[in-house]
Amino acid sequence: MPTSISILKPPRRARGRPRGLSPEVVLDTALALFEDEPDEGFTLGRLAKRLDVPITSLYTYFPNRDALLDAAGERVFARFDWAPGADLPWDARLLSWMHAVKLHFERYPIAEKLLAWDRHVSPAWLRVLAPIITLLHSEGLRG
């Protein structure tokens, strides 16, 4: 007959990868955490708590916090929509890009948090920015 002490013990968590956890689930939850608690610093510990998994489970999918944030940036900035309009003058293309950025940030406020963190600039943001840098350089604007 089991003692009352053994009945009160929480069930042991099975070893291995938690069921239902995938890179997509981790990213979805990370983005939701950003949206739900925008003023809090993003940590893997808070993410693991939200997912109800040990923090080490996150490392199965992302080797570190920066890799996870890069993946989140990829997801958000992959939705950036801008057609440069090659027939437009350079300044009209620049304004068009700026308008597209404004609309993107209105649709995805999380994008602001994913531009840069801890002196690390998101590669996905740099890809959004690259056409404008190229445009400005082609017009002789540098620095």
Side-chain angles (χ1 to χ4, degrees), residues 4-53:
S4 61
I5 294 175
S6 66
I7 294 172
L8 297 176
K9 286 184 182 178
R12 290 186 61 186
R13 209 177 263 211
R15 290 184 162 220
R17 190 178 317 166
R19 288 186 182 185
L21 198 60
S22 68
E24 293 77 25
V25 169
V26 173
L27 278 175
D28 290 343
T29 306
L31 291 170
L33 186 60
F34 268 120
E35 289 177 12
D36 295 345
E37 302 172 21
D39 296 331
E40 299 295 321
F42 179 81
T43 66
L44 292 179
R46 287 181 55 237
L47 178 60
K49 185 176 180 179
R50 170 80 64 107
L51 287 163
D52 193 29
V53 299

Tab-separated table of all heavy atoms in Angstrom, residues 4-53:
chain	number	residue	atom	x	y	z
A	4	SER	N	1.128	7.994	2.142
A	4	SER	CA	0.567	9.289	1.743
A	4	SER	C	1.647	10.194	1.160
A	4	SER	O	1.364	11.045	0.342
A	4	SER	CB	-0.122	9.965	2.927
A	4	SER	OG	0.817	10.199	3.960
A	5	ILE	N	2.890	9.993	1.550
A	5	ILE	CA	3.977	10.814	1.017
A	5	ILE	C	4.176	10.537	-0.467
A	5	ILE	O	4.348	11.446	-1.252
A	5	ILE	CB	5.282	10.574	1.806
A	5	ILE	CG1	5.108	11.070	3.231
A	5	ILE	CG2	6.461	11.263	1.140
A	5	ILE	CD1	6.260	10.788	4.141
A	6	SER	N	4.125	9.298	-0.888
A	6	SER	CA	4.321	8.994	-2.306
A	6	SER	C	3.177	9.519	-3.157
A	6	SER	O	3.350	9.826	-4.314
A	6	SER	CB	4.514	7.496	-2.523
A	6	SER	OG	3.315	6.822	-2.187
A	7	ILE	N	1.987	9.635	-2.601
A	7	ILE	CA	0.849	10.165	-3.338
A	7	ILE	C	1.012	11.656	-3.591
A	7	ILE	O	0.601	12.170	-4.620
A	7	ILE	CB	-0.466	9.877	-2.582
A	7	ILE	CG1	-0.708	8.376	-2.544
A	7	ILE	CG2	-1.637	10.600	-3.213
A	7	ILE	CD1	-1.856	7.962	-1.669
A	8	LEU	N	1.656	12.370	-2.689
A	8	LEU	CA	1.809	13.811	-2.806
A	8	LEU	C	2.935	14.231	-3.741
A	8	LEU	O	3.032	15.389	-4.103
A	8	LEU	CB	2.045	14.435	-1.429
A	8	LEU	CG	0.902	14.272	-0.433
A	8	LEU	CD1	1.297	14.849	0.914
A	8	LEU	CD2	-0.359	14.939	-0.955
A	9	LYS	N	3.777	13.310	-4.137
A	9	LYS	CA	4.890	13.649	-5.024
A	9	LYS	C	4.365	14.007	-6.403
A	9	LYS	O	3.484	13.320	-6.926
A	9	LYS	CB	5.868	12.476	-5.163
A	9	LYS	CG	6.722	12.245	-3.962
A	9	LYS	CD	7.692	11.130	-4.270
A	9	LYS	CE	8.544	10.810	-3.075
A	9	LYS	NZ	9.446	9.695	-3.349
A	10	PRO	N	4.917	15.083	-7.012
A	10	PRO	CA	4.500	15.390	-8.387
A	10	PRO	C	5.023	14.311	-9.326
A	10	PRO	O	6.051	13.685	-9.058
A	10	PRO	CB	5.169	16.734	-8.676
A	10	PRO	CG	6.281	16.845	-7.694
A	10	PRO	CD	5.893	16.012	-6.498
A	11	PRO	N	4.316	14.061	-10.410
A	11	PRO	CA	4.793	13.028	-11.337
A	11	PRO	C	6.133	13.430	-11.932
A	11	PRO	O	6.379	14.605	-12.190
A	11	PRO	CB	3.709	12.977	-12.417
A	11	PRO	CG	2.955	14.248	-12.283
A	11	PRO	CD	3.123	14.728	-10.879
A	12	ARG	N	6.978	12.442	-12.118
A	12	ARG	CA	8.294	12.708	-12.704
A	12	ARG	C	8.132	12.972	-14.179
A	12	ARG	O	7.353	12.318	-14.867
A	12	ARG	CB	9.224	11.516	-12.489
A	12	ARG	CG	9.615	11.391	-11.029
A	12	ARG	CD	10.624	10.325	-10.841
A	12	ARG	NE	11.822	10.651	-11.597
A	12	ARG	CZ	12.849	9.847	-11.732
A	12	ARG	NH1	12.822	8.660	-11.196
A	12	ARG	NH2	13.909	10.209	-12.426
A	13	ARG	N	8.869	13.928	-14.641
A	13	ARG	CA	8.862	14.256	-16.070
A	13	ARG	C	9.696	13.226	-16.815
A	13	ARG	O	10.773	12.850	-16.372
A	13	ARG	CB	9.496	15.636	-16.241
A	13	ARG	CG	8.996	16.381	-17.416
A	13	ARG	CD	9.615	17.720	-17.447
A	13	ARG	NE	8.693	18.671	-16.849
A	13	ARG	CZ	8.617	19.925	-17.192
A	13	ARG	NH1	9.417	20.400	-18.085
A	13	ARG	NH2	7.762	20.722	-16.624
A	14	ALA	N	9.187	12.790	-17.928
A	14	ALA	CA	9.922	11.811	-18.727
A	14	ALA	C	11.168	12.464	-19.317
A	14	ALA	O	11.178	13.650	-19.619
A	14	ALA	CB	9.038	11.272	-19.839
A	15	ARG	N	12.197	11.675	-19.477
A	15	ARG	CA	13.420	12.182	-20.088
A	15	ARG	C	13.220	12.335	-21.583
A	15	ARG	O	12.353	11.729	-22.175
A	15	ARG	CB	14.575	11.226	-19.831
A	15	ARG	CG	14.996	11.236	-18.403
A	15	ARG	CD	16.200	10.353	-18.235
A	15	ARG	NE	16.814	10.732	-16.984
A	15	ARG	CZ	18.093	10.818	-16.786
A	15	ARG	NH1	18.927	10.513	-17.747
A	15	ARG	NH2	18.569	11.171	-15.631
A	16	GLY	N	14.077	13.146	-22.182
A	16	GLY	CA	14.019	13.319	-23.626
A	16	GLY	C	13.263	14.576	-24.008
A	16	GLY	O	12.919	15.399	-23.181
A	17	ARG	N	13.024	14.702	-25.280
A	17	ARG	CA	12.362	15.869	-25.843
A	17	ARG	C	10.895	15.912	-25.413
A	17	ARG	O	10.180	14.930	-25.558
A	17	ARG	CB	12.470	15.790	-27.356
A	17	ARG	CG	12.041	17.018	-28.056
A	17	ARG	CD	12.204	16.898	-29.538
A	17	ARG	NE	13.458	16.274	-29.899
A	17	ARG	CZ	13.741	15.812	-31.090
A	17	ARG	NH1	12.861	15.882	-32.052
A	17	ARG	NH2	14.896	15.271	-31.345
A	18	PRO	N	10.419	17.051	-24.887
A	18	PRO	CA	9.008	17.142	-24.517
A	18	PRO	C	8.115	16.973	-25.748
A	18	PRO	O	8.438	17.454	-26.832
A	18	PRO	CB	8.878	18.559	-23.949
A	18	PRO	CG	10.254	18.956	-23.574
A	18	PRO	CD	11.169	18.237	-24.527
A	19	ARG	N	7.005	16.296	-25.559
A	19	ARG	CA	6.081	16.069	-26.673
A	19	ARG	C	5.499	17.386	-27.151
A	19	ARG	O	5.200	18.270	-26.358
A	19	ARG	CB	4.958	15.160	-26.242
A	19	ARG	CG	5.426	13.765	-26.067
A	19	ARG	CD	4.281	12.861	-25.794
A	19	ARG	NE	4.864	11.530	-25.588
A	19	ARG	CZ	4.163	10.467	-25.417
A	19	ARG	NH1	2.861	10.527	-25.406
A	19	ARG	NH2	4.755	9.318	-25.237
A	20	GLY	N	5.356	17.480	-28.448
A	20	GLY	CA	4.742	18.673	-29.023
A	20	GLY	C	5.683	19.842	-29.193
A	20	GLY	O	5.284	20.876	-29.713
A	21	LEU	N	6.910	19.717	-28.751
A	21	LEU	CA	7.863	20.811	-28.889
A	21	LEU	C	8.564	20.693	-30.239
A	21	LEU	O	8.978	19.608	-30.639
A	21	LEU	CB	8.885	20.765	-27.753
A	21	LEU	CG	9.675	22.038	-27.503
A	21	LEU	CD1	8.749	23.193	-27.145
A	21	LEU	CD2	10.686	21.835	-26.382
A	22	SER	N	8.640	21.801	-30.942
A	22	SER	CA	9.298	21.841	-32.245
A	22	SER	C	9.862	23.244	-32.422
A	22	SER	O	9.518	24.158	-31.657
A	22	SER	CB	8.282	21.547	-33.350
A	22	SER	OG	7.347	22.612	-33.439
A	23	PRO	N	10.714	23.451	-33.424
A	23	PRO	CA	11.220	24.812	-33.649
A	23	PRO	C	10.079	25.811	-33.875
A	23	PRO	O	10.142	26.940	-33.394
A	23	PRO	CB	12.086	24.680	-34.902
A	23	PRO	CG	12.445	23.246	-34.988
A	23	PRO	CD	11.319	22.487	-34.347
A	24	GLU	N	9.029	25.383	-34.578
A	24	GLU	CA	7.902	26.282	-34.843
A	24	GLU	C	7.177	26.657	-33.564
A	24	GLU	O	6.798	27.815	-33.370
A	24	GLU	CB	6.927	25.642	-35.837
A	24	GLU	CG	7.486	25.473	-37.230
A	24	GLU	CD	8.463	24.287	-37.348
A	24	GLU	OE1	8.371	23.325	-36.550
A	24	GLU	OE2	9.332	24.343	-38.227
A	25	VAL	N	6.969	25.680	-32.687
A	25	VAL	CA	6.295	25.948	-31.414
A	25	VAL	C	7.140	26.889	-30.565
A	25	VAL	O	6.623	27.826	-29.950
A	25	VAL	CB	5.984	24.625	-30.668
A	25	VAL	CG1	5.534	24.883	-29.238
A	25	VAL	CG2	4.946	23.823	-31.426
A	26	VAL	N	8.438	26.662	-30.534
A	26	VAL	CA	9.337	27.525	-29.765
A	26	VAL	C	9.287	28.947	-30.312
A	26	VAL	O	9.154	29.918	-29.552
A	26	VAL	CB	10.776	26.970	-29.758
A	26	VAL	CG1	11.737	27.954	-29.103
A	26	VAL	CG2	10.836	25.622	-29.047
A	27	LEU	N	9.365	29.101	-31.642
A	27	LEU	CA	9.306	30.436	-32.248
A	27	LEU	C	7.964	31.113	-32.010
A	27	LEU	O	7.906	32.297	-31.667
A	27	LEU	CB	9.566	30.352	-33.749
A	27	LEU	CG	11.016	30.296	-34.172
A	27	LEU	CD1	11.116	30.094	-35.682
A	27	LEU	CD2	11.762	31.539	-33.765
A	28	ASP	N	6.875	30.374	-32.200
A	28	ASP	CA	5.542	30.944	-31.961
A	28	ASP	C	5.425	31.450	-30.528
A	28	ASP	O	4.909	32.545	-30.281
A	28	ASP	CB	4.442	29.903	-32.208
A	28	ASP	CG	4.270	29.545	-33.673
A	28	ASP	OD1	4.752	30.304	-34.547
A	28	ASP	OD2	3.649	28.498	-33.943
A	29	THR	N	5.910	30.671	-29.594
A	29	THR	CA	5.818	31.043	-28.184
A	29	THR	C	6.735	32.213	-27.869
A	29	THR	O	6.361	33.112	-27.105
A	29	THR	CB	6.144	29.826	-27.292
A	29	THR	OG1	5.297	28.738	-27.681
A	29	THR	CG2	5.919	30.144	-25.819
A	30	ALA	N	7.913	32.236	-28.466
A	30	ALA	CA	8.828	33.370	-28.259
A	30	ALA	C	8.199	34.661	-28.764
A	30	ALA	O	8.241	35.694	-28.083
A	30	ALA	CB	10.160	33.112	-28.955
A	31	LEU	N	7.599	34.630	-29.941
A	31	LEU	CA	6.955	35.827	-30.487
A	31	LEU	C	5.760	36.244	-29.638
A	31	LEU	O	5.534	37.439	-29.407
A	31	LEU	CB	6.548	35.592	-31.939
A	31	LEU	CG	7.719	35.471	-32.916
A	31	LEU	CD1	7.243	34.996	-34.281
A	31	LEU	CD2	8.479	36.777	-33.028
A	32	ALA	N	5.000	35.281	-29.139
A	32	ALA	CA	3.875	35.594	-28.259
A	32	ALA	C	4.372	36.219	-26.954
A	32	ALA	O	3.760	37.168	-26.440
A	32	ALA	CB	3.065	34.333	-27.968
A	33	LEU	N	5.483	35.722	-26.450
A	33	LEU	CA	6.065	36.279	-25.227
A	33	LEU	C	6.481	37.728	-25.438
A	33	LEU	O	6.231	38.594	-24.597
A	33	LEU	CB	7.264	35.428	-24.800
A	33	LEU	CG	7.928	35.739	-23.472
A	33	LEU	CD1	6.951	35.582	-22.315
A	33	LEU	CD2	9.130	34.813	-23.265
A	34	PHE	N	7.096	38.012	-26.575
A	34	PHE	CA	7.451	39.392	-26.922
A	34	PHE	C	6.210	40.284	-26.945
A	34	PHE	O	6.226	41.406	-26.457
A	34	PHE	CB	8.104	39.463	-28.305
A	34	PHE	CG	9.590	39.364	-28.302
A	34	PHE	CD1	10.218	38.341	-28.983
A	34	PHE	CD2	10.365	40.295	-27.655
A	34	PHE	CE1	11.597	38.250	-29.016
A	34	PHE	CE2	11.741	40.218	-27.675
A	34	PHE	CZ	12.357	39.190	-28.352
A	35	GLU	N	5.147	39.797	-27.559
A	35	GLU	CA	3.927	40.594	-27.695
A	35	GLU	C	3.204	40.770	-26.365
A	35	GLU	O	2.691	41.846	-26.075
A	35	GLU	CB	2.992	39.963	-28.725
A	35	GLU	CG	3.521	40.101	-30.136
A	35	GLU	CD	2.647	39.419	-31.170
A	35	GLU	OE1	1.510	39.027	-30.842
A	35	GLU	OE2	3.107	39.283	-32.318
A	36	ASP	N	3.160	39.720	-25.557
A	36	ASP	CA	2.437	39.771	-24.286
A	36	ASP	C	3.159	40.582	-23.221
A	36	ASP	O	2.521	41.194	-22.368
A	36	ASP	CB	2.197	38.359	-23.741
A	36	ASP	CG	1.288	37.541	-24.637
A	36	ASP	OD1	0.621	38.126	-25.515
A	36	ASP	OD2	1.254	36.300	-24.462
A	37	GLU	N	4.481	40.550	-23.252
A	37	GLU	CA	5.278	41.217	-22.220
A	37	GLU	C	6.393	42.017	-22.877
A	37	GLU	O	7.576	41.715	-22.707
A	37	GLU	CB	5.852	40.165	-21.270
A	37	GLU	CG	4.787	39.311	-20.598
A	37	GLU	CD	5.368	38.155	-19.800
A	37	GLU	OE1	6.562	38.209	-19.425
A	37	GLU	OE2	4.631	37.201	-19.547
A	38	PRO	N	6.040	43.070	-23.652
A	38	PRO	CA	7.042	43.793	-24.441
A	38	PRO	C	8.104	44.523	-23.620
A	38	PRO	O	9.202	44.744	-24.110
A	38	PRO	CB	6.204	44.780	-25.255
A	38	PRO	CG	4.946	44.938	-24.489
A	38	PRO	CD	4.696	43.634	-23.798
A	39	ASP	N	7.780	44.870	-22.398
A	39	ASP	CA	8.737	45.636	-21.601
A	39	ASP	C	9.696	44.766	-20.797
A	39	ASP	O	10.632	45.277	-20.196
A	39	ASP	CB	7.996	46.592	-20.664
A	39	ASP	CG	7.218	47.642	-21.439
A	39	ASP	OD1	7.636	47.991	-22.558
A	39	ASP	OD2	6.175	48.088	-20.934
A	40	GLU	N	9.447	43.488	-20.777
A	40	GLU	CA	10.325	42.567	-20.056
A	40	GLU	C	11.474	42.152	-20.967
A	40	GLU	O	11.313	42.045	-22.169
A	40	GLU	CB	9.546	41.322	-19.621
A	40	GLU	CG	8.397	41.614	-18.690
A	40	GLU	CD	8.840	42.164	-17.348
A	40	GLU	OE1	9.862	41.691	-16.813
A	40	GLU	OE2	8.164	43.070	-16.844
A	41	GLY	N	12.622	41.891	-20.391
A	41	GLY	CA	13.748	41.395	-21.177
A	41	GLY	C	13.495	39.962	-21.605
A	41	GLY	O	12.943	39.168	-20.845
A	42	PHE	N	13.877	39.645	-22.828
A	42	PHE	CA	13.667	38.295	-23.329
A	42	PHE	C	14.769	37.385	-22.809
A	42	PHE	O	15.951	37.654	-22.999
A	42	PHE	CB	13.663	38.277	-24.862
A	42	PHE	CG	13.465	36.904	-25.421
A	42	PHE	CD1	12.195	36.377	-25.512
A	42	PHE	CD2	14.539	36.141	-25.819
A	42	PHE	CE1	11.984	35.097	-26.010
A	42	PHE	CE2	14.354	34.869	-26.326
A	42	PHE	CZ	13.079	34.337	-26.418
A	43	THR	N	14.366	36.298	-22.149
A	43	THR	CA	15.331	35.306	-21.685
A	43	THR	C	14.841	33.918	-22.062
A	43	THR	O	13.629	33.682	-22.193
A	43	THR	CB	15.535	35.345	-20.150
A	43	THR	OG1	14.312	34.951	-19.512
A	43	THR	CG2	15.959	36.734	-19.673
A	44	LEU	N	15.770	33.013	-22.219
A	44	LEU	CA	15.388	31.628	-22.496
A	44	LEU	C	14.681	31.020	-21.292
A	44	LEU	O	13.804	30.173	-21.446
A	44	LEU	CB	16.622	30.805	-22.880
A	44	LEU	CG	17.268	31.174	-24.219
A	44	LEU	CD1	18.487	30.296	-24.478
A	44	LEU	CD2	16.278	31.070	-25.362
A	45	GLY	N	15.030	31.466	-20.103
A	45	GLY	CA	14.364	30.980	-18.895
A	45	GLY	C	12.878	31.322	-18.890
A	45	GLY	O	12.042	30.478	-18.560
A	46	ARG	N	12.539	32.546	-19.252
A	46	ARG	CA	11.128	32.948	-19.319
A	46	ARG	C	10.405	32.174	-20.414
A	46	ARG	O	9.253	31.787	-20.247
A	46	ARG	CB	11.009	34.453	-19.560
A	46	ARG	CG	11.388	35.246	-18.319
A	46	ARG	CD	11.274	36.751	-18.459
A	46	ARG	NE	9.955	37.156	-18.893
A	46	ARG	CZ	9.729	37.886	-19.991
A	46	ARG	NH1	10.731	38.297	-20.745
A	46	ARG	NH2	8.510	38.219	-20.328
A	47	LEU	N	11.085	31.952	-21.534
A	47	LEU	CA	10.484	31.190	-22.626
A	47	LEU	C	10.237	29.745	-22.197
A	47	LEU	O	9.165	29.194	-22.433
A	47	LEU	CB	11.372	31.242	-23.867
A	47	LEU	CG	10.896	30.445	-25.076
A	47	LEU	CD1	9.528	30.912	-25.553
A	47	LEU	CD2	11.923	30.561	-26.202
A	48	ALA	N	11.216	29.136	-21.544
A	48	ALA	CA	11.060	27.754	-21.078
A	48	ALA	C	9.909	27.652	-20.075
A	48	ALA	O	9.121	26.701	-20.127
A	48	ALA	CB	12.364	27.264	-20.449
A	49	LYS	N	9.800	28.633	-19.214
A	49	LYS	CA	8.699	28.631	-18.249
A	49	LYS	C	7.358	28.725	-18.964
A	49	LYS	O	6.416	28.017	-18.630
A	49	LYS	CB	8.868	29.800	-17.272
A	49	LYS	CG	7.846	29.815	-16.167
A	49	LYS	CD	8.130	30.923	-15.181
A	49	LYS	CE	7.091	30.908	-14.075
A	49	LYS	NZ	7.348	31.944	-13.087
A	50	ARG	N	7.267	29.583	-19.972
A	50	ARG	CA	6.018	29.734	-20.740
A	50	ARG	C	5.664	28.417	-21.431
A	50	ARG	O	4.508	28.043	-21.533
A	50	ARG	CB	6.185	30.868	-21.740
A	50	ARG	CG	5.114	31.035	-22.794
A	50	ARG	CD	3.849	31.743	-22.350
A	50	ARG	NE	3.972	33.112	-21.946
A	50	ARG	CZ	3.561	34.159	-22.633
A	50	ARG	NH1	3.022	33.997	-23.830
A	50	ARG	NH2	3.668	35.362	-22.145
A	51	LEU	N	6.680	27.719	-21.933
A	51	LEU	CA	6.459	26.439	-22.619
A	51	LEU	C	6.298	25.270	-21.650
A	51	LEU	O	5.930	24.169	-22.064
A	51	LEU	CB	7.637	26.143	-23.558
A	51	LEU	CG	7.708	26.978	-24.821
A	51	LEU	CD1	9.096	26.892	-25.446
A	51	LEU	CD2	6.641	26.530	-25.808
A	52	ASP	N	6.617	25.519	-20.381
A	52	ASP	CA	6.586	24.483	-19.350
A	52	ASP	C	7.517	23.321	-19.701
A	52	ASP	O	7.127	22.152	-19.685
A	52	ASP	CB	5.160	23.982	-19.105
A	52	ASP	CG	5.062	23.152	-17.826
A	52	ASP	OD1	5.854	23.395	-16.892
A	52	ASP	OD2	4.199	22.247	-17.768
A	53	VAL	N	8.756	23.695	-20.074
A	53	VAL	CA	9.783	22.706	-20.391
A	53	VAL	C	11.074	23.126	-19.699
A	53	VAL	O	11.250	24.305	-19.361
A	53	VAL	CB	10.036	22.586	-21.920
A	53	VAL	CG1	8.773	22.136	-22.635
A	53	VAL	CG2	10.565	23.878	-22.506
